[in-house]
């Protein structure tokens, strides 16, 4: 009975199963298998998948919604990935989000922090470190390194000596100092690597400047019997170092010698030499030291300005400014350059009578001091205007440098300044009497302008010289009562 019952149950179950199978299409049985076939309906993401699944519109397969790791996905509601997953933009499968190393990516933000999307491999990748190849625009180097995009290799940042400069491919520094560390500079002719600033006598060029305190001397022989090149030398240049004006790329550059150290540039050899000292010989390429000038003709260094007794040249122009005399000597007496005779600095001529300078002459190039002028009569200096007794030029105009002072007249006979004469004193044409007197020419004596009786008069002039009521008699040339 028991077996029969069981047989009956089995038969019933079979019947039921058959009935179910027959009824399935009509009963809308759902697809529950992950990846199982479904009939996609655009109006219903689930379509004929069972609850909790959606029908992939392209694959036409049922998958859980939201999708789990590795399952096909779409960036659309209903077909998207679950928490901590993202629908991979290329592979359209659910991948960990953000991407782990080696996981596909399109952009850096697809990758986890610290990883980059390598645009060549389209995989998330950790940055490279020192000297590891394979860095490029989309795969930078690790912290403390930067990518040399010509070598595609990471180098320490900032670059140290013998590592590539940054920005070579652009021939333009992408970062200050071409990415080179302090104390180094980008050698941009040969190596394009950061190099320490070259030291004394080390090779240099425009793009590899010398250490502080040095400057690059272009195209010279560093030392005898060595090749030509550009080398670093002290600035200013020291003894025997190259100096002078050098044209580099059309621009003139001047490399001076250390003048403070008494050096000067001998342009004939282009090196710094010790400047000639006082009394030492000098010539074109061995100039005198500071405060000295090479005296023309004598070729010895003399101090500027020249002192009393020293050779001088002074043509009044700036051409001779280095050879001129000091304004005065050690005790304040004015100096002048005697261009005509001694060619030395002498005291300027003073008043002839008091001058103790032998000769005491003045002439062109040896002028008188202010307040005095040179007399053309004896070539000596006298007061200007002249005082009594000093030489003068008779009848000289008001502009004359040899005129007599106020109240004086220049005697034509002595050519000296004298006061006009008074009553009874000598006078003659050109040497008149003082105001209020007139020269009675016949007598060469001064008389009152209107003579009184008994005073001399000039018969040639007539009675007009005599006072009223008097006349001048030819026989007795004195004023007498008119007859
Ligand atoms: C240069 O020579 C002059 C004249 O002989 C002399 O007075 C002077 O002391 C010399 N100067 C030096 C620095 O030797």
């Amino acid at each position: 009975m028991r077996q029969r019952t069981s047989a009956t149950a089995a038969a019933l179950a079979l019947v039921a199963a058959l009935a179910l199978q027959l009824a399935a299409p009509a009963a809308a049985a759902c697809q529950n298998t992950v990846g199982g076939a479904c009939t996609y309906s655009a109006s219903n993401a689930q379509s004929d998948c069972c609850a909790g699944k959606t029908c992939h519109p392209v694959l036409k397969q049922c998958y859980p919604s939201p999708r789990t790791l590795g399952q096909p996905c779409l960036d659309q509601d209903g077909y998207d990935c679950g928490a901590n997953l993202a629908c991979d933009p290329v592979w359209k499968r659910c991948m960990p989000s953000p991407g782990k190393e080696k996981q596909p990516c399109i952009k850096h933000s697809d990758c986890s922090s610290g990883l980059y999307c390598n645009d060549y491999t389209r995989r998330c990748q950790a940055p490279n470190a020192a000297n590891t190849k394979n860095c490029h625009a989309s795969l930078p180097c690790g912290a403390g390194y930067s990518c040399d995009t010509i070598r595609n290799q990471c180098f320490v940042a900032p670059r140290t000596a013998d590592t590539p400069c940054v920005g070579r491919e652009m021939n333009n520094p992408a970062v200050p100092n071409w990415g080179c560390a302090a104390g180094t500079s980008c050698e941009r002719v040969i190596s394009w690597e950061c190099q320490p600033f070259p030291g004394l006598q080390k090779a240099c060029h425009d793009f590899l400047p010398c250490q502080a305190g040095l400057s690059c001397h272009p195209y010279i022989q560093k030392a005898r019997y060595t090749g030509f090149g550009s080398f670093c030398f002290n600035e200013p240049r020291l003894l025997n170092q190259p100096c002078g004006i050098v044209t580099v790329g059309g621009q003139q550059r001047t490399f001076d010698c250390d003048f403070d150290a008494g050096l000067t540039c001998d342009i004939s050899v282009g090196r710094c030499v010790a400047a000639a000292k006082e009394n030492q010989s000098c010539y074109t390429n061995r100039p005198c030291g500071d405060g000295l000038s090479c005296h023309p003709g004598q070729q010895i260094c003399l101090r500027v300005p020249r002192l009393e007794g020293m050779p001088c040249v002074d043509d009044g122009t700036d051409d001779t400014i280095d050879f001129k005399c000091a304004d005065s000597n050690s005790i304040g007496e004015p100096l002048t350059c005697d261009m005509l005779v001694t060619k030395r600095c002498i005291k300027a001529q003073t008043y002839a009578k008091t001058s103790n300078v032998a000769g005491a002459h003045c002439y062109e190039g040896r002028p008188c001091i202010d307040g005095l002028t040179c007399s053309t009569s004896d070539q000596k200096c006298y007061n200007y205007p002249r005082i009594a007794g000093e030489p003068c030029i008779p009848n000289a105009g008001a502009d004359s440098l040899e005129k007599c002072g106020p109240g004086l007249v220049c005697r034509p006979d002595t050519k000296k300044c004298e006061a006009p004469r008074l009553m009874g004193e000598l006078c003659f044409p050109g040497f008149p009497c003082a105001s209020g007197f007139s020269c009675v020419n016949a007598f060469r004596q001064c008389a009152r302008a209107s003579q009184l009786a008994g005073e001399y008069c000039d018969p040639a002039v007539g009675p007009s010289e005599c006072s009223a009521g008097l006349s001048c008699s030819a026989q007795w040339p004195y004023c007498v009562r008119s007859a």
Side-chain angles (χ1 to χ4, degrees):
M1 182 63 200
R2 186 180 170 149
Q3 190 162 13
R4 187 179 159 251
T5 307
S6 134
T8 306
L12 282 172
L14 179 62
V15 168
L18 282 171
L20 256 177
Q21 263 189 336
L22 290 170
C30 64
Q31 173 58 273
N32 204 28
T33 310
V34 170
C38 53
T39 303
Y40 173 67
S41 161
S43 62
N44 177 7
Q46 184 179 340
S47 301
D48 56 355
C49 297
C50 295
K53 297 188 175 66
T54 56
C55 183
H56 195 286
V58 184
L59 296 174
K60 305 218 167 33
Q61 292 172 333
C62 293
Y63 289 98
S65 177
R67 305 282 194 259
T68 60
L69 185 68
Q71 290 183 338
C73 54
L74 293 172
D75 292 324
Q76 273 173 256
D77 281 349
Y79 309 103
D80 215 345
C81 305
N84 301 320
L85 298 176
C87 189
D88 179 77
V90 180
W91 294 48
K92 297 295 181 193
R93 284 181 179 275
C94 293
M95 299 283 184
S97 177
K100 294 186 166 45
E101 196 160 6
K102 294 183 183 164
Q103 189 176 310
C105 57
I106 288 184
K107 51 194 190 302
H108 295 318
S109 60
D110 296 337
C111 303
S112 301
S113 157
L115 299 182
Y116 293 86
C117 187
N118 181 340
D119 199 45
Y120 291 93
T121 61
R122 289 273 167 98
R123 294 291 187 282
C124 293
Q125 196 172 334
N128 288 308
N131 284 355
T132 316
K133 296 216 171 181
N134 196 21
C135 63
H136 46 75
S138 62
L139 184 62
C141 302
Y145 294 85
S146 68
C147 190
D148 176 66
T149 54
I150 289 179
R151 293 174 174 80
N152 292 111
Q153 209 174 327
C154 296
F155 289 95
V156 66
R159 301 281 197 263
T160 52
D162 301 324
T163 57
C165 311
V166 177
R168 174 184 181 178
E169 62 284 355
M170 293 170 273
N171 196 13
N172 179 33
V175 291
N177 196 28
W178 300 79
C180 296
T184 66
S185 140
C186 182
E187 192 285 297
R188 302 201 298 282
V189 171
I190 302 159
S191 67
W192 279 86
E193 289 183 343
C194 298
Q195 293 189 1
F197 294 115
L200 189 64
Q201 301 203 11
K202 293 284 189 287
C204 54
H205 51 72
D206 284 355
F207 302 135
L208 186 60
C210 304
Q211 286 172 10
L214 306 179
S215 63
C216 190
H217 203 99
Y219 316 125
I220 44 101
Q221 208 170 1
K222 179 169 68 167
R224 239 169 267 203
Y225 315 125
T226 68
F228 280 82
S230 300
F231 302 96
C232 298
F233 292 98
N234 294 82
E235 177 126 325
R237 301 282 187 259
L238 304 184
L239 189 66
N240 292 327
Q241 291 186 344
C243 60
I245 298 171
V246 187
T247 303
V248 189
Q251 284 204 321
Q252 280 203 335
R253 292 204 52 198
T254 304
F255 299 101
D256 285 329
C257 299
D258 188 352
F259 291 120
D260 290 345
L263 298 180
T264 186
C265 190
D266 182 341
I267 55 168
S268 68
V269 293
R271 291 194 179 263
C272 295
V273 296
K277 298 190 173 71
E278 188 174 2
N279 295 343
Q280 288 186 336
S281 69
C282 49
Y283 41 90
T284 310
N285 297 318
R286 196 208 182 198
C288 300
D290 238 12
L292 303 173
S293 68
C294 190
H295 200 81
Q298 304 194 5
Q299 304 306 130
I300 56 164
C301 296
L302 298 175
R303 61 182 61 194
V304 178
R306 305 281 191 261
L307 306 182
E308 186 172 5
M310 288 172 61
C312 59
V313 184
D314 188 355
D315 65 4
T317 72
D318 280 354
D319 292 348
T320 53
I321 201 159
D322 287 341
F323 314 118
K324 283 163 85 160
C325 302
D327 287 341
S328 60
N329 65 11
S330 56
I331 57 168
E333 296 171 317
L335 290 181
T336 184
C337 186
D338 172 11
M339 286 286 282
L340 291 194
V341 181
T342 61
K343 309 252 193 289
R344 284 175 184 268
C345 295
I346 57 166
K347 273 183 270 197
Q349 285 302 302
T350 51
Y351 188 51
K353 284 177 190 163
T354 61
S355 171
N356 53 11
V357 176
H361 285 304
C362 52
Y363 35 74
E364 190 193 350
R366 191 188 189 186
C368 301
I369 59 169
D370 279 355
L372 302 181
T373 58
C374 193
S375 167
T376 50
S377 57
D378 61 0
Q379 312 291 149
K380 292 180 184 178
C381 298
Y382 294 96
N383 288 296
Y384 175 80
R386 301 280 186 259
I387 59 171
E390 293 185 331
C392 54
I393 297 177
N395 303 314
D399 294 340
S400 170
L401 293 175
E402 297 178 68
K403 69 180 180 187
C404 296
L408 297 181
V409 290
C410 187
R411 270 178 74 155
D413 56 341
T414 61
K415 297 200 173 65
K416 297 224 160 106
C417 295
E418 277 187 38
R421 291 300 144 123
L422 303 175
M423 175 82 177
E425 293 181 328
L426 176 75
C427 63
F428 48 81
F431 184 39
C433 302
S435 168
F437 299 95
S438 63
C439 188
V440 182
N441 203 29
F443 289 82
R444 299 297 199 235
Q445 277 193 323
C446 294
R448 255 185 281 271
S450 294
Q451 284 99 306
L452 304 180
E455 293 180 343
Y456 38 78
C457 59
D458 191 351
V461 177
S464 63
E465 288 190 323
C466 300
S467 297
L470 300 179
S471 65
C472 188
S473 141
Q475 297 81 20
W476 180 244
Y478 297 94
C479 293
V480 295
R481 275 182 203 288
S482 304

